Amino acid sequence: DQQVKQNSPSLSVQEGRISILNCDYTNSMFDYFLWYKKYPAEGPTFLISISSIKDKNEDGRFTVFLNKSAKHLSLHIVPSQPGDSAVYFCAANDNDMRFGAGTRLTVKP
Amino acid sequence: GAVVSQHPSRVICKSGTSVKIECRSLDFQATTMFWYRQFPKQSLMLMATSNEGSKATYEQGVEKDKFLINHASLTLSTLTVTSAHPEDSSFYICSAHLRGTEAFFGQGTRLTVV
């Protein structure tokens, strides 16, 4: 069962613009959410997280928003840079961790 | 999409015994597999990188004699926790990589050592 869904397999944005990556989940018991970034031939690296008691967490150009009523979270990257081009995974955590399928972001110069 | 099967999903073992976790790529050949460990409410910690036919590369601080990794074929990597102790109780997850670009995660294994 796919408890965490990233419905957009790919996203392309222009350098300097905002990138918005979306993630939906079905399990209301999830209480901690994370975003990972992955470059080709490397393992995913942690990017940013948010606890369910918050609705926003910001770290530099990266902001994660959580809408618990909609069971939806999103990652905003502003401004987008070509080096941000990668695959982004959202993950949700209760006792175990569940990953979305990933969204490939391409930032064009 | 590609599927990575990790087995078992949950295991309880006695202290001092060994536990083997399998990670299989079901419909593609994974030249590289990664093994992670996750503590509650923390992000994943990369333990080791497993390349088919060669020795695994362990991250600093990970005991290679305790966490044995074998990547004998392009579709199977195993992680064996040897002489398990309660502090080894954790969530272990693998990811398999397709053509060095895509990453597909296994379902994870909840290990409880009693």
Side-chain angles (χ1 to χ4, degrees):
Chain A
D1 62 336
Q2 215 174 346
Q3 298 185 43
V4 179
K5 295 180 182 180
Q6 292 176 258
N7 292 317
S8 298
S10 63
L11 174 68
S12 181
V13 300
Q14 207 67 35
E15 181 179 7
R17 299 289 183 92
I18 182 172
S19 295
I20 300 176
L21 298 111
N22 294 303
C23 180
D24 297 291
Y25 62 96
T26 57
N27 187 347
S28 58
M29 298 302 293
F30 290 138
D31 59 0
Y32 193 65
F33 304 88
L34 310 94
W35 283 94
Y36 287 84
K37 177 179 182 179
K38 185 195 169 300
Y39 291 113
E42 296 181 10
T45 56
F46 170 73
L47 190 58
I48 193 170
S49 64
I50 188 167
S51 165
S52 61
I53 62 173
K54 295 185 176 182
D55 54 18
K56 178 182 175 181
N57 187 27
E58 191 172 352
D59 183 4
R61 297 185 296 114
F62 302 91
T63 303
V64 56
F65 295 91
L66 176 63
N67 183 333
K68 288 190 291 294
S69 60
K71 294 191 179 66
H72 177 83
L73 67 156
S74 60
L75 174 68
H76 292 211
I77 306 174
V78 183
S80 301
Q81 299 173 354
D84 296 329
S85 297
V87 178
Y88 290 79
F89 294 92
C90 71
N93 190 200
D94 48 7
N95 287 320
D96 296 335
M97 183 174 281
R98 298 287 176 248
F99 285 89
T103 297
R104 177 177 298 281
L105 173 66
T106 303
V107 180
K108 297 179 178 179
Chain B
V3 177
V4 173
S5 175
Q6 187 172 341
H7 178 80
S9 58
R10 295 183 183 277
V11 58
I12 300 172
C13 70
K14 290 185 178 180
S15 192
T17 61
S18 295
V19 175
K20 180 185 284 188
I21 302 169
E22 293 187 348
C23 183
R24 293 181 183 272
S25 55
L26 297 184
D27 53 0
F28 67 99
Q29 293 183 328
T31 53
T32 305
M33 289 188 178
F34 295 89
W35 286 96
Y36 300 85
R37 180 175 181 176
Q38 190 233 346
F39 294 100
K41 303 300 185 284
Q42 296 184 28
S43 65
L44 294 178
M45 181 192 78
L46 178 63
M47 298 175 67
T49 302
S50 169
N51 293 298
E52 186 269 337
S54 63
K55 290 184 179 180
T57 303
Y58 289 82
E59 295 299 300
Q60 193 172 9
V62 178
E63 298 176 61
K64 62 180 180 181
D65 294 330
K66 178 162 190 65
F67 299 98
L68 300 178
I69 291 173
N70 183 283
H71 194 162
S73 75
L74 286 171
T75 59
L76 174 64
S77 176
T78 60
L79 167 67
T80 302
V81 182
T82 63
S83 188
H85 290 283
E87 57 265 31
D88 299 325
S89 298
S90 191
F91 186 69
Y92 295 87
I93 193 165
C94 69
S95 72
H97 291 252
L98 176 65
R99 294 188 297 274
T101 57
E102 304 293 338
F104 299 95
F105 290 96
Q107 301 93 324
T109 298
R110 165 65 59 189
L111 171 64
T112 303
V113 184
V114 298

